[in-house]
Amino acid sequence: MARYTLNLLCGALVLLILVPVDVVAQNHDHAAMGHDMGGMAAGDSVTWRMPPMDMSMPMMPGMHGMNPSAPAYLPLTPQEAMALPDARPRELVTMADGDTLHLHAMMVKRKIGDRHFAMFGYNGQIPGPLIRAPQGSKVYVHFENHIDQATTVHWHGLRLDNRFDGVPGVTQAPVEQHASFMYELKFPDEGLYWYHPHIREDIQQDLGLYGNMLVDPSREDALPRVNREEVFVLDDLLVDGSGPLPYGQDAPTHALMGRFGNLMLVNGVPDYRMSVKKGEVVRFFLTNVANARTFNVTFGNAKIKVIASDVSRFEREQWVDSVPIAPAERYIVDVRFKKPGDVAIANTIQAINHFRGEFYPHVDTLAIVSVADEPVSTDLSDEYLALRTNADVVEDIESFRSSFDRPVDYEIELTLKHQNLPLPIVAMMEIDTLYVPPMEWNDAMPMMNWLSTGNEVTWVLRDVRSGRENMDINWTFQKGDVAKIRIFNTPDSFHPMNHPIHVHGQRYLVLSIDGVPTQNLVWKDTAIVPVGSTMDILVDMSNPGEWMMHCHIAEHLQAGMMLSFTVEEEGTAGSP
Amino acid sequence: MTATSILLSVVLTLSMSLANGASTSAPGLEVSGDHANACVVASLPGPEYYRIDLVPTRRLVGSASVNGYGDVYFASSPFGVALTSTGHYAYDLKVEVSGLRERSGKEYVLWVTSPSLDEIHRIGPLVDGRLSTRVEMNKYLVVLTLEDAGVTSNKWQGPVVMRGMSRSGLMHTMAGHGPFESEPCAQYGYR
Ligand SMILES: [Cu+2]
């Protein structure tokens, strides 16, 4: 491709130097830009602030003074926010079969630094209530919407009835401000799930609308014993001295790389601490609710035993040194704290400095575990040190093994299109694309990323055989089908990036990456497709209805990266 | 030729070969040799994008026409993407070289190094032109040298027969091979 050549590279550099300042005008006429978000009215009074910059990276020529092409939005001004109730920590709600939970999406205020800001919370909590229920149960959630825009609740990972999946315009109408909706949740699978809006996740989820569901396995011995359980919601928030950076009112900002935050949060707070006794074995239930960031979670130098992921336990428990977790993924891991003292739970990455052309080690502390001198009363070391094989999981997966070699049913390519992007961004991306990493660990181009909105960028899931894209795709399956889908994340696009691909309402196995078979299988609903890689997944089409498959980077989803498929009931007449 | 211009040509050759095979003839640029079409990005399993072309140094008589490459796969991991606790990718590198002439008392030894050569790992002698290893570095060089058989040392003694660069080696564009040209290419083993 021409873009890999010296000619273009030099040309791009020249462009960068020559392009005049203020290519894109700042004076958006807010009144003229239609508002398609119901009651969201605050945008008119909100002005753009530049994203916080790492001063070691020079400002790209030609970008000074530019603003995103969408009007700026924040829920309320800090002054207005003062009247809101304070966000509260998450509360546990233990539910039995048939129980009902009243869940309200609300405006709350939250203190960051020494100022208060308007955010969102389910029942005023960030994260929202932790729903704990037994496997096989069914519960009801009476949901009311009291934020300033329409919303829905998606119950991520649950194989529930299609009409409760929370996809606006497909499974339900948006829940308008002060309206309500009754959800019915089914928990056929054990493990850790989460709920979040399926409208403008880039805003609503980012501002605090997320919560977990913990489904206790019916088998009593499904999981090894531990001394303590901790549910960790990992997140990041993009803030400056004045609070959260404004969002795009009618289109997401950060459409290229997604909105990476600069404030790391565990369970909604930047300074999460917990105390344990010496020798305690702690089970961490990890969920990544960040818009775009994949974390590489370390627990000091402790060995980590990985037990389960999205929709099941692994075939075999396994020792790992860190837990890479993409947006929407979950992992359940056990860690033993052997020595007294503080242990930092951290995001430990090799970040990229594009200008210098180098990787550099970067560590963000997510939480601190204080390990006391006093030893734990029940020593579970032996159990912790043993690695178990989950015969029931192996057996379940075994029944799908005859489909592992089936032909590929559908093949999709991950790519993007762009229009009307400022010229300096286009020029810079051409250079940057000389090398793209398999994964993006940091926002190394905060200005360019911020300036690209859903108005300029369309992320694409392209059906290779039909040429159809995104919601023009609707595959049809029969209940009970097992489908092999090949996902190729082409490095040959304007801005290649890793994508966590989520399938609604079903479970799938990652069979292989780049033709290398997965050694230790687990049922997933979301998995990372690195740049340049081909991932084959095997989907158990067990749940009838019209479902979505999409990238879980909030800005990519909002910029179009979603397709649909229908699973027909057995015996239903064939489709066109 | 200066070290920089050689590296530039290597970068270009690599870039061209890594690009979609259908369109290697970019306007105004001549690419010669087998590497221009060495690999094709196709929608089949296999991480072609990260494949490392091994380029003969021609420092060894009769080695100009050898061919080789390193295929780069994620190491097995429960997370799909394999990472170390410091955030480096963990790769399985599978090297395959053909056309090497047998030389008595000598063996072809594979090395993986950091770009600044401050970290050098001796992987071992090729067996039937092949060798695989785990690499836990984001940016690295692959070096094949001719050594006395059975002699192990922590730095090569013999001549470099082939060398290649991980795809991430291309990430030195803006400050490196633009107008600034400040990269220490000689240290990379390109002379
Ligand atoms: Cu994406």
Side-chain angles (χ1 to χ4, degrees):
Chain A
M1 298 296 285
R3 101 161 159 269
Y4 293 118
T5 69
L6 180 64
N7 296 28
L8 200 78
L9 198 152
C10 292
L13 275 172
V14 171
L15 273 177
L16 281 174
I17 293 156
L18 297 183
V19 157
V21 171
D22 290 335
V23 173
V24 171
Q26 291 183 61
N27 53 336
H28 308 297
D29 180 351
H30 290 183
M33 322 262 293
H35 296 205
D36 63 354
M37 286 174 58
M40 274 174 66
D44 293 342
S45 58
V46 180
T47 54
W48 284 116
R49 308 192 301 269
M50 252 181 58
M53 301 283 285
D54 173 352
M55 285 309 157
S56 71
M57 290 181 217
M59 164 80 80
M60 298 306 169
M63 284 186 209
H64 185 77
M66 286 189 191
N67 280 327
S69 66
Y73 162 80
L74 281 173
L76 293 171
T77 64
Q79 292 72 28
E80 292 164 329
M82 290 311 291
L84 297 170
D86 282 310
R88 292 179 294 120
R90 170 186 62 202
E91 289 168 12
L92 173 66
V93 179
T94 304
M95 299 183 79
D97 190 49
D99 282 357
T100 299
L101 169 69
H102 292 272
L103 190 73
H104 296 185
M106 296 165 57
M107 311 275 279
V108 293
K109 74 169 182 288
R110 150 138 273 170
K111 202 173 174 191
I112 296 171
D114 53 0
R115 300 185 63 180
H116 284 92
F117 306 98
M119 292 184 67
F120 300 148
Y122 287 119
N123 289 0
Q125 304 165 31
I126 302 178
L130 170 60
I131 297 170
R132 190 157 197 170
Q135 185 178 2
S137 63
K138 182 197 281 185
V139 302
Y140 301 89
V141 176
H142 183 258
F143 173 71
E144 284 180 33
N145 177 18
H146 298 292
I147 62 170
D148 63 347
Q149 50 193 283
T151 189
T152 60
V153 190
H154 170 58
W155 309 89
H156 187 115
L158 294 189
R159 293 194 284 170
L160 43 46
D161 286 354
N162 185 247
R163 62 204 153 115
F164 304 118
D165 197 42
V167 179
V170 178
T171 67
Q172 69 170 96
V175 184
E176 300 296 336
Q177 195 176 18
H178 305 306
S180 67
F181 191 89
M182 187 66 139
Y183 290 97
E184 184 183 304
L185 312 185
K186 284 199 302 197
F187 302 114
D189 305 296
E190 64 179 69
L192 182 64
Y193 301 87
W194 69 297
Y195 56 96
H196 61 80
H198 221 282
I199 293 180
R200 289 305 299 268
E201 288 89 324
D202 65 304
I203 298 175
Q204 299 184 8
Q205 187 181 299
D206 204 39
L207 283 173
L209 292 183
Y210 50 79
N212 275 117
M213 296 164 279
L214 190 50
V215 182
D216 288 316
S218 341
R219 289 170 56 111
E220 254 179 37
D221 62 346
L223 299 163
R225 286 182 305 158
V226 290
N227 299 109
R228 183 191 299 266
E229 294 176 327
E230 280 280 336
V231 178
F232 261 37
V233 181
L234 309 174
D235 193 12
D236 62 358
L237 197 60
L238 182 59
V239 296
D240 62 12
S242 304
L245 217 71
Y247 299 84
Q249 177 146 310
D250 51 18
T253 58
H254 297 87
L256 281 175
M257 278 150 266
R259 183 173 167 125
F260 281 79
N262 54 357
L263 184 68
M264 304 296 146
L265 304 174
V266 167
N267 296 340
V269 298
D271 49 3
Y272 194 86
R273 290 193 79 99
M274 54 182 275
S275 301
V276 302
K277 290 177 179 163
K278 187 176 72 177
E280 261 197 57
V281 179
V282 181
R283 175 157 301 146
F284 290 93
F285 295 87
L286 305 174
T287 307
N288 181 354
V289 306
N291 287 18
R293 181 184 299 276
T294 296
F295 291 87
N296 185 40
V297 184
T298 51
F299 297 78
N301 297 318
K303 281 208 295 188
I304 304 160
K305 184 159 76 171
V306 59
I307 307 274
S309 186
D310 304 344
V311 194
S312 80
R313 280 164 281 135
F314 280 88
E315 289 183 302
R316 291 177 306 282
E317 295 172 356
Q318 198 173 333
W319 296 115
V320 294
D321 298 323
S322 66
V323 182
I325 180 169
E329 281 192 300
R330 285 91 63 211
Y331 285 101
I332 302 175
V333 301
D334 290 357
V335 178
R336 183 174 56 152
F337 295 92
K338 279 196 289 192
K339 290 185 200 137
D342 279 358
V343 175
I345 299 177
N347 180 35
T348 309
I349 59 165
Q350 298 291 319
I352 279 185
N353 182 324
H354 282 283
F355 188 79
R356 292 191 187 157
E358 63 186 23
F359 295 92
Y360 62 96
H362 181 85
V363 178
D364 273 312
T365 298
L366 303 173
I368 298 285
V369 183
S370 298
V371 186
D373 289 325
E374 187 192 343
V376 65
S377 52
T378 310
D379 182 359
L380 297 173
S381 298
D382 289 348
E383 207 157 332
Y384 168 72
L385 291 171
L387 291 178
R388 312 187 339 169
T389 295
N390 292 306
D392 56 337
V393 178
V394 173
E395 192 184 338
D396 177 28
I397 290 174
E398 201 53 40
S399 63
F400 291 85
R401 200 165 288 275
S402 60
S403 299
F404 282 19
D405 293 327
R406 66 175 286 113
V408 172
D409 295 280
Y410 291 99
E411 196 171 337
I412 55 171
E413 190 176 70
L414 315 182
T415 185
L416 85 166
K417 298 171 178 174
H418 64 95
Q419 54 175 11
N420 303 328
L421 268 177
L423 201 53
I425 296 186
V426 177
M428 188 53 73
M429 297 310 286
E430 298 287 1
I431 291 184
D432 179 59
T433 309
L434 276 172
Y435 168 67
V436 283
M439 305 279 295
E440 207 115 6
W441 297 100
N442 60 315
D443 184 353
M445 293 174 285
M447 269 298 279
M448 278 194 279
N449 190 16
W450 174 60
L451 288 170
S452 64
T453 78
N455 295 330
E456 292 84 35
V457 174
T458 304
W459 280 97
V460 176
L461 300 170
R462 194 172 68 85
D463 184 321
V464 173
R465 291 175 205 171
S466 72
R468 285 173 178 268
E469 294 178 352
N470 294 344
M471 287 302 280
D472 284 341
I473 301 170
N474 189 312
W475 300 326
T476 305
F477 304 98
Q478 302 294 309
K479 183 179 170 184
D481 281 356
V482 177
K484 189 190 275 188
I485 296 169
R486 176 164 292 173
I487 307 168
F488 175 53
N489 189 353
T490 179
D492 185 25
S493 80
F494 175 68
H495 176 65
M497 188 175 167
N498 58 290
H499 302 277
I501 298 296
H502 172 45
V503 176
H504 283 215
Q506 321 292 335
R507 56 179 190 167
Y508 69 78
L509 300 169
V510 175
L511 291 183
S512 66
I513 296 181
D514 297 323
V516 180
T518 306
Q519 298 299 310
N520 188 5
L521 291 161
V522 66
W523 288 105
K524 298 284 289 174
D525 58 55
T526 309
I528 311 170
V529 187
V531 173
S533 283
T534 302
M535 181 191 266
D536 280 356
I537 64 171
L538 194 73
V539 188
D540 173 15
M541 297 293 177
S542 58
N543 197 8
E546 184 180 354
W547 304 97
M548 301 297 121
M549 174 170 172
H550 65 82
C551 175
H552 220 288
I553 290 175
E555 290 75 15
H556 292 185
L557 169 58
Q558 202 61 44
M561 208 170 192
M562 176 160 82
L563 62 78
S564 67
F565 63 96
T566 300
V567 180
E568 295 178 337
E569 282 283 5
E570 283 154 308
T572 314
S575 62
Chain B
M1 266 181 136
T2 66
T4 307
S5 65
I6 292 175
L7 179 59
L8 253 180
S9 62
V10 169
V11 166
L12 284 169
T13 308
L14 262 174
S15 311
M16 294 303 298
S17 63
L18 286 159
N20 194 318
S23 51
T24 43
S25 53
L29 199 116
E30 293 262 299
V31 178
S32 58
D34 302 339
H35 295 283
N37 283 304
C39 66
V40 175
V41 177
S43 53
L44 290 169
E48 286 86 353
Y49 180 73
Y50 300 101
R51 175 180 268 206
I52 298 169
D53 273 348
L54 294 177
V55 181
T57 60
R58 302 172 186 238
R59 292 188 61 210
L60 198 64
V61 177
S63 72
S65 62
V66 294
N67 273 301
Y69 59 87
D71 269 335
V72 179
Y73 299 89
F74 286 115
S76 172
S77 156
F79 308 105
V81 175
L83 286 180
T84 68
S85 59
T86 54
H88 282 274
Y89 299 109
Y91 292 120
D92 285 333
L93 172 68
K94 297 180 180 179
V95 168
E96 205 172 319
V97 181
S98 61
L100 285 172
R101 193 190 291 175
E102 268 194 52
R103 295 168 199 261
S104 73
K106 300 282 187 184
E107 59 193 6
Y108 294 97
V109 175
L110 189 71
W111 311 78
V112 172
T113 83
S114 59
S116 56
L117 302 183
D118 57 346
E119 220 183 297
I120 297 178
H121 301 278
R122 182 184 190 275
I123 310 305
L126 296 186
V127 179
D128 296 330
R130 292 161 199 248
L131 199 60
S132 296
T133 184
R134 173 71 49 89
V135 178
E136 295 185 346
M137 277 188 276
N138 283 357
K139 203 169 177 177
Y140 56 94
L141 305 177
V142 179
V143 180
L144 187 71
T145 65
L146 185 70
E147 304 291 327
D148 290 337
V151 177
T152 45
S153 63
N154 50 17
K155 168 90 173 74
W156 56 85
Q157 311 297 319
V160 173
V161 183
M162 305 179 90
R163 73 276 186 280
M165 180 170 60
S166 65
R167 175 89 198 185
S168 52
L170 293 180
M171 193 185 65
H172 55 217
T173 53
M174 296 179 200
H177 295 288
F180 311 106
E181 296 202 6
S182 61
E183 290 256 304
C185 295
Q187 281 181 39
Y188 285 27
Y190 296 96
R191 330 179 229 188

